[in-house]
mmCIF file of all heavy atoms in Angstrom:
data_model
loop_
_atom_site.group_PDB
_atom_site.id
_atom_site.type_symbol
_atom_site.label_atom_id
_atom_site.label_comp_id
_atom_site.label_asym_id
_atom_site.label_seq_id
_atom_site.Cartn_x
_atom_site.Cartn_y
_atom_site.Cartn_z
ATOM 1 N N THR A 1 4.611 0.262 -15.032
ATOM 2 C CA THR A 1 3.976 -0.135 -13.778
ATOM 3 C C THR A 1 4.563 0.627 -12.596
ATOM 4 O O THR A 1 3.848 0.985 -11.650
ATOM 5 C CB THR A 1 4.129 -1.652 -13.556
ATOM 6 O OG1 THR A 1 3.564 -2.350 -14.666
ATOM 7 C CG2 THR A 1 3.420 -2.096 -12.284
ATOM 8 N N GLU A 2 5.856 0.920 -12.642
ATOM 9 C CA GLU A 2 6.480 1.715 -11.578
ATOM 10 C C GLU A 2 5.902 3.127 -11.549
ATOM 11 O O GLU A 2 5.646 3.690 -10.476
ATOM 12 C CB GLU A 2 7.997 1.760 -11.781
ATOM 13 C CG GLU A 2 8.693 0.430 -11.551
ATOM 14 C CD GLU A 2 10.189 0.517 -11.792
ATOM 15 O OE1 GLU A 2 10.731 1.649 -11.757
ATOM 16 O OE2 GLU A 2 10.825 -0.519 -12.038
ATOM 17 N N TYR A 3 5.710 3.713 -12.736
ATOM 18 C CA TYR A 3 5.084 5.036 -12.791
ATOM 19 C C TYR A 3 3.650 4.973 -12.254
ATOM 20 O O TYR A 3 3.210 5.877 -11.543
ATOM 21 C CB TYR A 3 5.077 5.575 -14.224
ATOM 22 C CG TYR A 3 6.392 6.127 -14.710
ATOM 23 C CD1 TYR A 3 7.250 5.369 -15.492
ATOM 24 C CD2 TYR A 3 6.776 7.436 -14.400
ATOM 25 C CE1 TYR A 3 8.462 5.872 -15.942
ATOM 26 C CE2 TYR A 3 7.979 7.957 -14.861
ATOM 27 C CZ TYR A 3 8.818 7.176 -15.634
ATOM 28 O OH TYR A 3 10.019 7.682 -16.075
ATOM 29 N N VAL A 4 2.930 3.919 -12.625
ATOM 30 C CA VAL A 4 1.548 3.760 -12.158
ATOM 31 C C VAL A 4 1.516 3.671 -10.635
ATOM 32 O O VAL A 4 0.683 4.313 -9.973
ATOM 33 C CB VAL A 4 0.908 2.492 -12.783
ATOM 34 C CG1 VAL A 4 -0.411 2.158 -12.077
ATOM 35 C CG2 VAL A 4 0.667 2.693 -14.273
ATOM 36 N N ALA A 5 2.416 2.882 -10.053
ATOM 37 C CA ALA A 5 2.423 2.670 -8.608
ATOM 38 C C ALA A 5 2.598 3.981 -7.843
ATOM 39 O O ALA A 5 2.039 4.161 -6.757
ATOM 40 C CB ALA A 5 3.529 1.684 -8.233
ATOM 41 N N GLU A 6 3.352 4.911 -8.414
ATOM 42 C CA GLU A 6 3.661 6.162 -7.722
ATOM 43 C C GLU A 6 2.713 7.299 -8.080
ATOM 44 O O GLU A 6 2.817 8.389 -7.506
ATOM 45 C CB GLU A 6 5.105 6.583 -8.052
ATOM 46 C CG GLU A 6 6.167 5.651 -7.494
ATOM 47 C CD GLU A 6 6.105 5.563 -5.972
ATOM 48 O OE1 GLU A 6 5.895 6.606 -5.322
ATOM 49 O OE2 GLU A 6 6.224 4.445 -5.439
ATOM 50 N N GLU A 7 1.796 7.088 -9.017
ATOM 51 C CA GLU A 7 0.941 8.177 -9.494
ATOM 52 C C GLU A 7 -0.032 8.649 -8.406
ATOM 53 O O GLU A 7 -0.684 7.849 -7.745
ATOM 54 C CB GLU A 7 0.145 7.717 -10.728
ATOM 55 C CG GLU A 7 -0.777 8.768 -11.306
ATOM 56 C CD GLU A 7 -0.094 10.083 -11.571
ATOM 57 O OE1 GLU A 7 0.950 10.092 -12.258
ATOM 58 O OE2 GLU A 7 -0.602 11.103 -11.081
ATOM 59 N N GLN A 8 -0.117 9.979 -8.230
ATOM 60 C CA GLN A 8 -0.983 10.559 -7.217
ATOM 61 C C GLN A 8 -2.426 10.719 -7.706
ATOM 62 O O GLN A 8 -3.364 10.688 -6.904
ATOM 63 C CB GLN A 8 -0.443 11.936 -6.789
ATOM 64 C CG GLN A 8 0.950 11.893 -6.179
ATOM 65 C CD GLN A 8 1.005 11.066 -4.910
ATOM 66 O OE1 GLN A 8 0.084 11.108 -4.098
ATOM 67 N NE2 GLN A 8 2.067 10.295 -4.736
ATOM 68 N N GLN A 9 -2.607 10.940 -9.013
ATOM 69 C CA GLN A 9 -3.943 11.162 -9.562
ATOM 70 C C GLN A 9 -4.390 9.918 -10.334
ATOM 71 O O GLN A 9 -3.887 9.632 -11.414
ATOM 72 C CB GLN A 9 -3.946 12.384 -10.486
ATOM 73 C CG GLN A 9 -3.686 13.703 -9.762
ATOM 74 C CD GLN A 9 -3.791 14.893 -10.703
ATOM 75 O OE1 GLN A 9 -3.008 15.010 -11.639
ATOM 76 N NE2 GLN A 9 -4.726 15.790 -10.450
ATOM 77 N N VAL A 10 -5.350 9.219 -9.772
ATOM 78 C CA VAL A 10 -5.750 7.943 -10.356
ATOM 79 C C VAL A 10 -6.297 8.116 -11.772
ATOM 80 O O VAL A 10 -6.144 7.215 -12.617
ATOM 81 C CB VAL A 10 -6.785 7.247 -9.438
ATOM 82 C CG1 VAL A 10 -8.114 7.978 -9.429
ATOM 83 C CG2 VAL A 10 -6.969 5.796 -9.825
ATOM 84 N N ASP A 11 -6.908 9.254 -12.074
ATOM 85 C CA ASP A 11 -7.459 9.467 -13.415
ATOM 86 C C ASP A 11 -6.374 9.647 -14.479
ATOM 87 O O ASP A 11 -6.682 9.642 -15.674
ATOM 88 C CB ASP A 11 -8.387 10.683 -13.422
ATOM 89 C CG ASP A 11 -9.717 10.417 -12.731
ATOM 90 O OD1 ASP A 11 -10.049 9.226 -12.562
ATOM 91 O OD2 ASP A 11 -10.414 11.373 -12.361
ATOM 92 N N LYS A 12 -5.129 9.805 -14.062
ATOM 93 C CA LYS A 12 -4.030 9.902 -15.024
ATOM 94 C C LYS A 12 -3.553 8.531 -15.495
ATOM 95 O O LYS A 12 -2.831 8.429 -16.492
ATOM 96 C CB LYS A 12 -2.834 10.648 -14.404
ATOM 97 C CG LYS A 12 -2.729 12.113 -14.785
ATOM 98 C CD LYS A 12 -1.513 12.746 -14.139
ATOM 99 C CE LYS A 12 -0.216 12.203 -14.706
ATOM 100 N NZ LYS A 12 0.964 12.761 -14.018
ATOM 101 N N ILE A 13 -3.961 7.486 -14.793
ATOM 102 C CA ILE A 13 -3.443 6.151 -15.094
ATOM 103 C C ILE A 13 -3.837 5.697 -16.494
ATOM 104 O O ILE A 13 -3.090 4.994 -17.172
ATOM 105 C CB ILE A 13 -3.887 5.152 -14.004
ATOM 106 C CG1 ILE A 13 -3.181 5.503 -12.690
ATOM 107 C CG2 ILE A 13 -3.590 3.709 -14.407
ATOM 108 C CD1 ILE A 13 -3.651 4.714 -11.483
ATOM 109 N N LYS A 14 -5.002 6.133 -16.968
ATOM 110 C CA LYS A 14 -5.412 5.758 -18.328
ATOM 111 C C LYS A 14 -4.410 6.276 -19.361
ATOM 112 O O LYS A 14 -4.175 5.627 -20.382
ATOM 113 C CB LYS A 14 -6.805 6.290 -18.636
ATOM 114 C CG LYS A 14 -6.955 7.791 -18.567
ATOM 115 C CD LYS A 14 -8.414 8.208 -18.749
ATOM 116 C CE LYS A 14 -8.606 9.702 -18.545
ATOM 117 N NZ LYS A 14 -10.030 10.088 -18.631
ATOM 118 N N TYR A 15 -3.797 7.423 -19.093
ATOM 119 C CA TYR A 15 -2.802 7.946 -20.023
ATOM 120 C C TYR A 15 -1.507 7.131 -19.961
ATOM 121 O O TYR A 15 -0.872 6.884 -20.989
ATOM 122 C CB TYR A 15 -2.514 9.416 -19.714
ATOM 123 C CG TYR A 15 -3.739 10.298 -19.774
ATOM 124 C CD1 TYR A 15 -4.066 11.153 -18.729
ATOM 125 C CD2 TYR A 15 -4.598 10.266 -20.871
ATOM 126 C CE1 TYR A 15 -5.204 11.948 -18.770
ATOM 127 C CE2 TYR A 15 -5.741 11.061 -20.926
ATOM 128 C CZ TYR A 15 -6.034 11.900 -19.873
ATOM 129 O OH TYR A 15 -7.159 12.686 -19.914
ATOM 130 N N LEU A 16 -1.138 6.706 -18.759
ATOM 131 C CA LEU A 16 0.045 5.851 -18.615
ATOM 132 C C LEU A 16 -0.154 4.545 -19.384
ATOM 133 O O LEU A 16 0.767 4.056 -20.055
ATOM 134 C CB LEU A 16 0.294 5.562 -17.131
ATOM 135 C CG LEU A 16 0.706 6.758 -16.257
ATOM 136 C CD1 LEU A 16 0.506 6.445 -14.789
ATOM 137 C CD2 LEU A 16 2.151 7.143 -16.519
ATOM 138 N N VAL A 17 -1.356 3.982 -19.294
ATOM 139 C CA VAL A 17 -1.663 2.739 -20.014
ATOM 140 C C VAL A 17 -1.710 2.987 -21.512
ATOM 141 O O VAL A 17 -1.202 2.180 -22.306
ATOM 142 C CB VAL A 17 -2.988 2.143 -19.505
ATOM 143 C CG1 VAL A 17 -3.429 0.965 -20.388
ATOM 144 C CG2 VAL A 17 -2.836 1.676 -18.061
ATOM 145 N N ASN A 18 -2.311 4.109 -21.942
ATOM 146 C CA ASN A 18 -2.364 4.421 -23.372
ATOM 147 C C ASN A 18 -0.972 4.490 -23.986
ATOM 148 O O ASN A 18 -0.781 4.149 -25.156
ATOM 149 C CB ASN A 18 -3.082 5.759 -23.596
ATOM 150 C CG ASN A 18 -4.588 5.648 -23.468
ATOM 151 O OD1 ASN A 18 -5.142 4.553 -23.500
ATOM 152 N ND2 ASN A 18 -5.252 6.767 -23.302
ATOM 153 N N GLY A 19 0.005 4.938 -23.191
ATOM 154 C CA GLY A 19 1.373 4.989 -23.687
ATOM 155 C C GLY A 19 1.912 3.621 -24.071
ATOM 156 O O GLY A 19 2.746 3.502 -24.971
ATOM 157 N N LEU A 20 1.410 2.580 -23.395
ATOM 158 C CA LEU A 20 1.826 1.218 -23.748
ATOM 159 C C LEU A 20 1.392 0.862 -25.168
ATOM 160 O O LEU A 20 2.047 0.065 -25.844
ATOM 161 C CB LEU A 20 1.253 0.203 -22.762
ATOM 162 C CG LEU A 20 1.939 0.113 -21.392
ATOM 163 C CD1 LEU A 20 1.135 -0.785 -20.461
ATOM 164 C CD2 LEU A 20 3.373 -0.392 -21.535
ATOM 165 N N LEU A 21 0.267 1.447 -25.620
ATOM 166 C CA LEU A 21 -0.173 1.218 -26.993
ATOM 167 C C LEU A 21 0.882 1.730 -27.973
ATOM 168 O O LEU A 21 1.209 1.067 -28.950
ATOM 169 C CB LEU A 21 -1.496 1.944 -27.261
ATOM 170 C CG LEU A 21 -2.741 1.453 -26.522
ATOM 171 C CD1 LEU A 21 -3.909 2.376 -26.819
ATOM 172 C CD2 LEU A 21 -3.079 0.037 -26.917
ATOM 173 N N GLY A 22 1.376 2.953 -27.683
ATOM 174 C CA GLY A 22 2.411 3.528 -28.545
ATOM 175 C C GLY A 22 3.677 2.695 -28.531
ATOM 176 O O GLY A 22 4.318 2.500 -29.573
ATOM 177 N N ILE A 23 4.045 2.200 -27.367
ATOM 178 C CA ILE A 23 5.252 1.370 -27.260
ATOM 179 C C ILE A 23 5.070 0.079 -28.046
ATOM 180 O O ILE A 23 5.983 -0.371 -28.756
ATOM 181 C CB ILE A 23 5.554 1.069 -25.777
ATOM 182 C CG1 ILE A 23 5.947 2.365 -25.046
ATOM 183 C CG2 ILE A 23 6.675 0.030 -25.651
ATOM 184 C CD1 ILE A 23 6.077 2.212 -23.541
ATOM 185 N N ALA A 24 3.895 -0.527 -27.946
ATOM 186 C CA ALA A 24 3.632 -1.802 -28.628
ATOM 187 C C ALA A 24 3.660 -1.654 -30.144
ATOM 188 O O ALA A 24 3.886 -2.635 -30.859
ATOM 189 C CB ALA A 24 2.289 -2.365 -28.180
ATOM 190 N N GLU A 25 3.439 -0.439 -30.641
ATOM 191 C CA GLU A 25 3.440 -0.204 -32.082
ATOM 192 C C GLU A 25 4.844 -0.248 -32.677
ATOM 193 O O GLU A 25 5.007 -0.380 -33.877
ATOM 194 C CB GLU A 25 2.796 1.151 -32.401
ATOM 195 C CG GLU A 25 1.283 1.190 -32.235
ATOM 196 C CD GLU A 25 0.570 0.354 -33.279
ATOM 197 O OE1 GLU A 25 1.146 0.108 -34.360
ATOM 198 O OE2 GLU A 25 -0.574 -0.071 -33.016
ATOM 199 N N HIS A 26 5.864 -0.117 -31.840
ATOM 200 C CA HIS A 26 7.245 -0.062 -32.329
ATOM 201 C C HIS A 26 7.928 -1.413 -32.142
ATOM 202 O O HIS A 26 7.905 -1.974 -31.046
ATOM 203 C CB HIS A 26 8.049 1.000 -31.575
ATOM 204 C CG HIS A 26 7.584 2.410 -31.822
ATOM 205 N ND1 HIS A 26 6.467 2.935 -31.198
ATOM 206 C CD2 HIS A 26 8.069 3.385 -32.620
ATOM 207 C CE1 HIS A 26 6.291 4.181 -31.593
ATOM 208 N NE2 HIS A 26 7.247 4.480 -32.454
ATOM 209 N N GLU A 27 8.524 -1.916 -33.203
ATOM 210 C CA GLU A 27 9.300 -3.147 -33.068
ATOM 211 C C GLU A 27 10.533 -2.898 -32.208
ATOM 212 O O GLU A 27 10.965 -3.749 -31.449
ATOM 213 C CB GLU A 27 9.709 -3.668 -34.453
ATOM 214 C CG GLU A 27 8.527 -4.183 -35.270
ATOM 215 C CD GLU A 27 8.972 -4.835 -36.562
ATOM 216 O OE1 GLU A 27 10.199 -4.995 -36.755
ATOM 217 O OE2 GLU A 27 8.103 -5.194 -37.372
ATOM 218 N N GLU A 28 11.113 -1.713 -32.360
ATOM 219 C CA GLU A 28 12.228 -1.301 -31.516
ATOM 220 C C GLU A 28 11.968 0.129 -31.080
ATOM 221 O O GLU A 28 11.524 0.954 -31.876
ATOM 222 C CB GLU A 28 13.565 -1.389 -32.272
ATOM 223 C CG GLU A 28 13.998 -2.811 -32.586
ATOM 224 C CD GLU A 28 15.400 -2.866 -33.183
ATOM 225 O OE1 GLU A 28 16.107 -1.848 -33.113
ATOM 226 O OE2 GLU A 28 15.758 -3.922 -33.719
ATOM 227 N N ILE A 29 12.230 0.425 -29.823
ATOM 228 C CA ILE A 29 12.001 1.768 -29.312
ATOM 229 C C ILE A 29 13.116 2.108 -28.324
ATOM 230 O O ILE A 29 13.563 1.252 -27.561
ATOM 231 C CB ILE A 29 10.605 1.879 -28.652
ATOM 232 C CG1 ILE A 29 10.254 3.329 -28.366
ATOM 233 C CG2 ILE A 29 10.500 1.034 -27.418
ATOM 234 C CD1 ILE A 29 8.789 3.543 -28.006
ATOM 235 N N ASN A 30 13.557 3.345 -28.372
ATOM 236 C CA ASN A 30 14.672 3.785 -27.535
ATOM 237 C C ASN A 30 14.215 3.998 -26.091
ATOM 238 O O ASN A 30 13.201 4.642 -25.848
ATOM 239 C CB ASN A 30 15.243 5.089 -28.125
ATOM 240 C CG ASN A 30 16.480 5.554 -27.388
ATOM 241 O OD1 ASN A 30 16.366 6.164 -26.330
ATOM 242 N ND2 ASN A 30 17.645 5.267 -27.937
ATOM 243 N N GLU A 31 14.970 3.453 -25.152
ATOM 244 C CA GLU A 31 14.596 3.577 -23.741
ATOM 245 C C GLU A 31 14.584 5.034 -23.290
ATOM 246 O O GLU A 31 13.713 5.449 -22.514
ATOM 247 C CB GLU A 31 15.560 2.775 -22.863
ATOM 248 C CG GLU A 31 15.197 2.817 -21.384
ATOM 249 C CD GLU A 31 16.086 1.918 -20.543
ATOM 250 O OE1 GLU A 31 16.886 1.158 -21.117
ATOM 251 O OE2 GLU A 31 15.975 1.985 -19.302
ATOM 252 N N ASP A 32 15.542 5.839 -23.767
ATOM 253 C CA ASP A 32 15.568 7.254 -23.393
ATOM 254 C C ASP A 32 14.302 7.969 -23.853
ATOM 255 O O ASP A 32 13.780 8.855 -23.167
ATOM 256 C CB ASP A 32 16.793 7.951 -24.001
ATOM 257 C CG ASP A 32 18.086 7.533 -23.331
ATOM 258 O OD1 ASP A 32 18.022 7.085 -22.166
ATOM 259 O OD2 ASP A 32 19.152 7.654 -23.949
ATOM 260 N N PHE A 33 13.795 7.585 -25.030
ATOM 261 C CA PHE A 33 12.560 8.165 -25.554
ATOM 262 C C PHE A 33 11.397 7.863 -24.605
ATOM 263 O O PHE A 33 10.610 8.758 -24.260
ATOM 264 C CB PHE A 33 12.285 7.587 -26.946
ATOM 265 C CG PHE A 33 10.913 7.863 -27.502
ATOM 266 C CD1 PHE A 33 10.651 9.029 -28.203
ATOM 267 C CD2 PHE A 33 9.876 6.955 -27.309
ATOM 268 C CE1 PHE A 33 9.381 9.279 -28.707
ATOM 269 C CE2 PHE A 33 8.609 7.197 -27.814
ATOM 270 C CZ PHE A 33 8.363 8.372 -28.515
ATOM 271 N N VAL A 34 11.284 6.613 -24.196
ATOM 272 C CA VAL A 34 10.195 6.211 -23.306
ATOM 273 C C VAL A 34 10.296 6.946 -21.973
ATOM 274 O O VAL A 34 9.300 7.495 -21.464
ATOM 275 C CB VAL A 34 10.209 4.684 -23.076
ATOM 276 C CG1 VAL A 34 9.155 4.280 -22.056
ATOM 277 C CG2 VAL A 34 9.982 3.949 -24.395
ATOM 278 N N LEU A 35 11.489 6.985 -21.403
ATOM 279 C CA LEU A 35 11.682 7.657 -20.117
ATOM 280 C C LEU A 35 11.375 9.146 -20.221
ATOM 281 O O LEU A 35 10.758 9.722 -19.323
ATOM 282 C CB LEU A 35 13.119 7.456 -19.626
ATOM 283 C CG LEU A 35 13.458 6.047 -19.142
ATOM 284 C CD1 LEU A 35 14.963 5.919 -18.915
ATOM 285 C CD2 LEU A 35 12.705 5.711 -17.859
ATOM 286 N N PHE A 36 11.782 9.774 -21.327
ATOM 287 C CA PHE A 36 11.539 11.202 -21.522
ATOM 288 C C PHE A 36 10.046 11.494 -21.567
ATOM 289 O O PHE A 36 9.549 12.420 -20.907
ATOM 290 C CB PHE A 36 12.220 11.673 -22.807
ATOM 291 C CG PHE A 36 11.990 13.126 -23.120
ATOM 292 C CD1 PHE A 36 12.397 14.107 -22.242
ATOM 293 C CD2 PHE A 36 11.365 13.502 -24.299
ATOM 294 C CE1 PHE A 36 12.190 15.455 -22.517
ATOM 295 C CE2 PHE A 36 11.145 14.846 -24.591
ATOM 296 C CZ PHE A 36 11.554 15.819 -23.696
ATOM 297 N N TYR A 37 9.301 10.695 -22.329
ATOM 298 C CA TYR A 37 7.859 10.905 -22.428
ATOM 299 C C TYR A 37 7.171 10.676 -21.089
ATOM 300 O O TYR A 37 6.315 11.467 -20.663
ATOM 301 C CB TYR A 37 7.258 9.990 -23.501
ATOM 302 C CG TYR A 37 7.190 10.629 -24.868
ATOM 303 C CD1 TYR A 37 8.336 11.108 -25.499
ATOM 304 C CD2 TYR A 37 5.980 10.771 -25.523
ATOM 305 C CE1 TYR A 37 8.268 11.706 -26.750
ATOM 306 C CE2 TYR A 37 5.894 11.375 -26.784
ATOM 307 C CZ TYR A 37 7.043 11.833 -27.391
ATOM 308 O OH TYR A 37 6.974 12.432 -28.613
ATOM 309 N N TYR A 38 7.527 9.597 -20.404
ATOM 310 C CA TYR A 38 6.869 9.287 -19.137
ATOM 311 C C TYR A 38 7.299 10.233 -18.023
ATOM 312 O O TYR A 38 6.493 10.571 -17.145
ATOM 313 C CB TYR A 38 7.100 7.831 -18.751
ATOM 314 C CG TYR A 38 6.076 6.906 -19.372
ATOM 315 C CD1 TYR A 38 6.297 6.313 -20.611
ATOM 316 C CD2 TYR A 38 4.861 6.644 -18.732
ATOM 317 C CE1 TYR A 38 5.339 5.495 -21.199
ATOM 318 C CE2 TYR A 38 3.909 5.822 -19.308
ATOM 319 C CZ TYR A 38 4.149 5.256 -20.540
ATOM 320 O OH TYR A 38 3.197 4.451 -21.117
#
């Protein structure tokens, strides 16, 4: 949500949301991994 709030191109927000799908697929996920991708 912090990334979404600061995004300059509104059409990119769908990709930020799609990333949540990938996160939800993992029972455990490394925070550094998420930060690196975003």
Side-chain angles (χ1 to χ4, degrees):
T1 303
E2 291 179 20
Y3 282 98
V4 168
E6 293 300 319
E7 180 52 53
Q8 299 298 321
Q9 294 184 296
V10 69
D11 287 342
K12 261 181 68 183
I13 292 173
K14 60 186 174 184
Y15 302 129
L16 293 163
V17 171
N18 283 344
L20 283 172
L21 293 175
I23 293 172
E25 287 291 337
H26 294 79
E27 291 187 7
E28 292 187 13
I29 191 167
N30 185 279
E31 182 175 352
D32 288 337
F33 168 87
V34 175
L35 288 170
F36 178 60
Y37 268 58
Y38 274 91

